[in-house]
Amino acid sequence: MTRARGGWHSGPMRALQRRWVADCAVAAPLAAREVVDDVGHDLLTRWSEEHRRYHGLTHLSEVLAALDRLCATRAVSAEDATVAALAAWFHDAVYSVTPATPDRPGTSGAAAAARTAAVSNEAASADLAEHHLSALGVAAATRQRVTASVLDTEHHDLGSTAGEDPARVLLHDADLWILAAPVVRFDEYCAQVRAEYAHVPAAVYARERSAVLRPFLARDNVYRTEYARSTWGSAARENLARALPRLAGCGSPRLAPPRTGGST
């Protein structure tokens, strides 16, 4: 039975709902609309969880927008674009914050507290993708590409084999768009991630977060696509170069405490 969708009445939610239906129409043209809606409702409910300060609906929308931009600037097949979009929908679908290492930029934690700690954030999201996409009747080969793309977001370090799949490269760059965001948005992102890990002592957070961000500066290129390298690369390096000294001083842009009502 289709569940009530009272939270889908806002403009942004309606836009995401339409986008989900459109992405499913390409990947699962024979799927029953009720199943499409139920899976979409589950995803948007997850992305709207109260504890998400960065890894919420805005992040999802930004990744999808970055994907669209990348696809518009290079020859991308409809199949590759759809695989990347589905991976974007699922890459942070499972997310919760535990007293663990601060999250990587654009990656997820584990949303269900019942999940065993041995299951990584990304593995749980990949499992969810396999489950839902199977229910939608998405082809096995497509499901495999989607789950591989989701798992890539754990380390954002594509090997040579992963780089052969255009969808995995697209998601990699789109998920890391935030590193090249305008200064105000990048600083907001830093504050939001810190708020998600407010339970972590400042010195521990600074050490672990720096260990996550510093390798991006050590790379020859933060991004894999030519467009992202030429358009986002310099801004990403500038933002990272500002963020790392700030962490070394245990400073962080301020963000208001989480609200007690509403999810986003």
Side-chain angles (χ1 to χ4, degrees):
M1 178 180 295
T2 303
R3 292 164 288 184
R5 297 178 177 82
W8 283 28
H9 293 309
S10 68
M13 286 290 253
R14 286 184 181 278
L16 284 169
Q17 179 189 18
R18 289 192 296 269
R19 174 62 184 260
W20 169 250
V21 172
D23 289 336
C24 283
V26 179
L30 301 180
R33 179 57 185 266
E34 182 178 18
V35 179
V36 171
D37 285 351
D38 280 345
V39 173
H41 178 261
D42 181 58
L43 286 171
L44 289 175
T45 298
R46 291 170 180 273
W47 281 96
S48 301
E49 291 165 336
E50 178 64 25
H51 63 276
R52 296 173 183 252
R53 301 308 305 275
Y54 169 67
H55 298 89
L57 293 170
T58 297
H59 171 54
L60 172 60
S61 297
E62 288 174 339
V63 172
L64 289 170
L67 275 177
D68 290 344
R69 192 170 178 184
L70 290 169
C71 290
T73 57
R74 55 181 294 178
V76 177
S77 71
E79 180 181 359
D80 290 342
T82 299
V83 170
L86 290 176
W89 277 99
F90 284 99
H91 83 286
D92 280 335
V94 176
Y95 183 86
S96 74
V97 180
T98 59
T101 300
D103 209 1
R104 295 175 174 81
T107 65
S108 69
R115 281 276 188 192
T116 173
V119 176
S120 74
N121 307 324
E122 297 71 25
S125 292
D127 286 348
L128 184 71
E130 175 65 26
H131 172 76
H132 278 326
L133 295 179
S134 294
L136 288 165
V138 174
T142 299
R143 298 199 309 269
Q144 192 280 327
R145 294 179 67 194
V146 170
T147 56
S149 299
V150 170
L151 290 171
D152 287 338
T153 63
E154 182 171 2
H155 300 293
H156 285 104
D157 187 12
L158 298 182
S160 57
T161 302
E164 295 174 0
D165 186 339
R168 295 171 74 173
V169 173
L170 289 167
L171 181 65
H172 171 274
D173 283 7
D175 196 25
L176 294 180
W177 167 85
I178 191 64
L179 298 181
V183 170
V184 172
R185 175 61 182 128
F186 178 82
D187 286 349
E188 180 185 44
Y189 149 71
C190 291
Q192 288 171 333
V193 174
R194 181 64 181 109
E196 288 179 341
Y197 288 88
H199 57 277
V200 178
V204 175
Y205 179 85
R207 181 186 70 238
E208 300 298 333
R209 184 68 174 160
S210 295
V212 166
L213 296 179
R214 191 176 295 111
F216 289 107
L217 276 180
R219 295 181 182 181
D220 290 336
N221 294 288
V222 174
Y223 301 103
R224 296 296 293 266
T225 64
E226 287 300 323
Y227 176 84
R229 288 177 179 179
S230 63
T231 307
W232 303 340
S234 295
R237 290 186 176 280
E238 290 172 7
N239 281 332
L240 290 167
R242 288 188 309 105
L244 287 167
R246 189 163 57 204
L247 285 165
C250 291
S252 178
R254 294 183 178 182
L255 189 69
R259 294 172 295 175
T260 57
S263 56
T264 57

